[in-house]
Amino acid sequence: MTHKRTTRLSRRQFLKAAGAAAGALAAGPVLSACGPAATTAAPTATASPPLKIGILLPYSDIYAALGESITAGMEMYFESVGNTAGGRKIELTKEDEGTKPDEALQKARKLVEQDKVDLVAGIVSSGVAAACRDFFDETQNVLIIANAGSNALTRAAKSKYIFRTSFTNWQPNWPLGTWAYENVGKKAMISVPDYGAGHDMEKAFMNSFQAAGGEVLGQQYTPFPNMGDPAPFITELANSGADFIYAFYSGGAAVTFVKAYGDFGLTGTLPFVCAGFAVEEDVLPAQGNAALGAKSGLHWALRLDNEVNKKFTADYKTRTSKDANVFAVQGYDTGRVIVEAINATQGNTGDKDKLIEAIAGVTFDGPRGAFKMDPNTHNVIQHIYIRDVQEVDGALHNVILKDVGEIADPGDDSKG
Ligand code: BEZ
């Protein structure tokens, strides 16, 4: 017969032990009695507090479909690992980003201060990302941007607390400018929405297009978020005398703009070159033949030939009954970055320096190929593809014309 030996603690000993346990909980989950595991494998979830992730994504206005795709991709990844990371159960608190920077900033504050999330992920609009930057930097809370491409956040306004799994607005457009000069035409007219992302994207495109010898005949800035009647803008483009049009639009605005381009008879007569979001798989079904022949630069394509992408696109279609798109990929990869980083810290989110080091060190093969963070800028380094909208098996898709290689943001404004 075995006897349990009980030990009575003095009041002082009890308070000391209770304080240590409370401290351990604030810094991370309670690990098993054997101590931390020697590898980065996730400890068991039993006694650990949930991992609270604040999701700030648009579920309304012109970027609502982007928010839905990013959410679906992220949830798909979390489900694939049993909704746990570092031994903690993943708990999501979602807020609607909308498109208004001030209102979105209040939602970010609420997630951190009221909901007490461990970190925030999301943000689609560059305007919102710029408005939230100081809050995360000053309060030393981690933000992982899953879309918004604002160049400044990787350059003069970068913060050690802010990461980006998506792209800078510069990345898909700078290689596209050179390619368009060599393959499409020498004179361009530009159309972009009048906010941060539109200006970043046109600047990147113009930088390399003009360096190659191209001429920009004019720039058209349309109201953001809603451009209103596209007719006057399309008419101006049709009468510009350009060899081709360069544009950036996304979500609802991309559908409005590209459909009007087709309705005015410009598809197939005035070549259309764009940042790939404008004709991405999320909008192609609504744009139809108006998008045919559009040439674009982007960091992914539906038929990108690698095993992870094949499985991801098949699983996404089963889950949503839709083809995958670049925003879903970004959500999926953001989920993986979070899980792998939290596994690496054994669930500890209290030590911000360790968490930041872990996020910066995450590398894997994802749907877009090799995924890695630039340790200097905290922005993803990735291949950029030149794509062409073609009919494939009875539907429109982006077909890869060229892999322009691995593109890292320069980290300053020297190249647009
Ligand atoms: C942006 O605001 O940074 C953005 C929005 C939609 C697609 C791409 C970029």
Side-chain angles (χ1 to χ4, degrees):
M1 196 180 182
T2 53
H3 294 275
K4 273 195 187 153
R5 207 182 134 161
T6 54
T7 310
R8 291 189 80 87
L9 295 179
S10 70
R11 186 178 148 74
R12 247 180 85 203
Q13 282 171 317
F14 172 79
L15 288 175
K16 203 170 152 200
L25 198 65
V30 179
L31 298 174
S32 74
C34 320
T39 68
T40 58
T44 47
T46 41
S48 306
L51 175 71
K52 293 179 162 190
I53 303 173
I55 304 294
L56 184 58
L57 283 169
Y59 300 112
S60 63
D61 216 331
I62 60 161
Y63 289 156
L66 283 65
E68 298 293 351
S69 295
I70 295 171
T71 305
M74 204 183 295
E75 289 183 341
M76 209 170 111
Y77 187 77
F78 290 149
E79 282 167 25
S80 77
V81 294
N83 279 309
T84 60
R88 300 169 69 178
K89 190 104 194 102
I90 293 170
E91 214 177 82
L92 304 183
T93 307
K94 295 176 191 158
E95 286 293 342
D96 179 8
E97 173 189 338
T99 46
K100 296 195 176 81
D102 288 355
E103 290 176 16
L105 172 59
Q106 293 318 312
K107 308 267 180 72
R109 276 188 184 284
K110 181 237 170 212
L111 287 168
V112 170
E113 292 168 356
Q114 203 172 309
D115 302 322
K116 306 227 179 296
V117 298
D118 292 276
L119 58 91
V120 173
I123 306 192
V124 157
S125 165
S126 282
V128 170
C132 290
R133 185 262 173 210
D134 285 356
F135 171 69
F136 285 94
D137 187 65
E138 284 162 14
T139 61
Q140 305 186 353
N141 279 289
V142 169
L143 167 66
I144 303 181
I145 296 177
N147 186 74
S150 168
N151 292 339
L153 294 182
T154 287
R155 303 180 181 180
K158 73 182 174 189
S159 160
K160 75 184 248 195
Y161 299 98
I162 300 177
F163 290 83
R164 182 157 39 199
T165 55
S166 47
F167 54 87
T168 64
N169 292 326
W170 180 90
Q171 279 178 303
N173 291 292
W174 188 76
L176 183 65
T178 316
W179 184 87
Y181 178 79
E182 289 165 359
N183 295 279
V184 185
K186 313 298 179 212
K187 288 188 206 162
M189 175 76 186
I190 288 175
S191 179
V192 292
D194 193 8
Y195 84 109
H199 296 286
D200 275 355
M201 300 222 191
E202 68 151 345
K203 213 155 55 92
F205 177 85
M206 280 173 56
N207 182 282
S208 60
F209 180 66
Q210 289 174 327
E215 188 187 347
V216 174
L217 301 182
Q219 291 128 290
Q220 174 181 93
Y221 302 114
T222 59
F224 178 82
N226 298 300
M227 74 173 71
D229 179 6
F233 302 116
I234 302 292
T235 304
E236 187 186 18
L237 300 179
N239 297 331
S240 67
D243 296 334
F244 71 94
I245 303 304
Y246 164 83
F248 153 68
Y249 289 99
S250 191
V255 175
T256 304
F257 186 86
V258 172
K259 276 183 83 169
Y261 203 83
D263 290 346
F264 276 70
L266 301 190
T267 303
T269 58
L270 180 55
F272 187 68
V273 174
C274 57
F277 316 100
V279 289
E280 187 36 16
E281 303 292 332
D282 61 323
V283 286
L284 274 179
Q287 292 168 336
N289 283 342
L292 203 57
K295 309 289 188 291
S296 68
L298 207 63
H299 46 285
W300 178 82
L302 185 68
R303 307 253 167 140
L304 190 61
D305 191 12
N306 71 60
E307 288 312 309
V308 184
N309 193 42
K310 279 183 196 151
K311 177 164 169 37
F312 167 77
T313 52
D315 291 352
Y316 190 86
K317 187 134 197 182
T318 304
R319 182 190 174 97
T320 63
S321 305
K322 289 181 192 158
D323 281 319
N325 59 64
V326 75
F327 307 108
V329 171
Q330 292 164 192
Y332 190 76
D333 286 350
T334 301
R336 184 156 183 184
V337 166
I338 293 170
V339 168
E340 300 220 348
I342 304 291
N343 281 347
T345 66
Q346 298 275 306
N348 183 344
T349 49
D351 184 334
K352 291 289 159 60
D353 285 339
K354 287 231 165 67
L355 179 59
I356 287 165
E357 198 186 329
I359 298 170
V362 172
T363 60
F364 55 81
D365 285 330
R368 62 184 119 170
F371 181 101
K372 65 181 171 196
M373 286 281 182
D374 185 332
N376 179 40
T377 63
H378 286 181
N379 183 68
V380 59
I381 298 174
Q382 56 198 340
H383 282 235
I384 297 295
Y385 304 94
I386 306 295
R387 315 157 342 142
D388 180 23
V389 175
Q390 296 179 8
E391 193 176 320
V392 184
D393 301 334
L396 296 185
H397 294 295
N398 285 284
V399 172
I400 294 176
L401 297 181
K402 186 180 179 185
D403 175 354
V404 295
E406 194 175 81
I407 303 287
D409 189 274
D412 59 36
D413 295 341
S414 58
K415 292 182 178 171

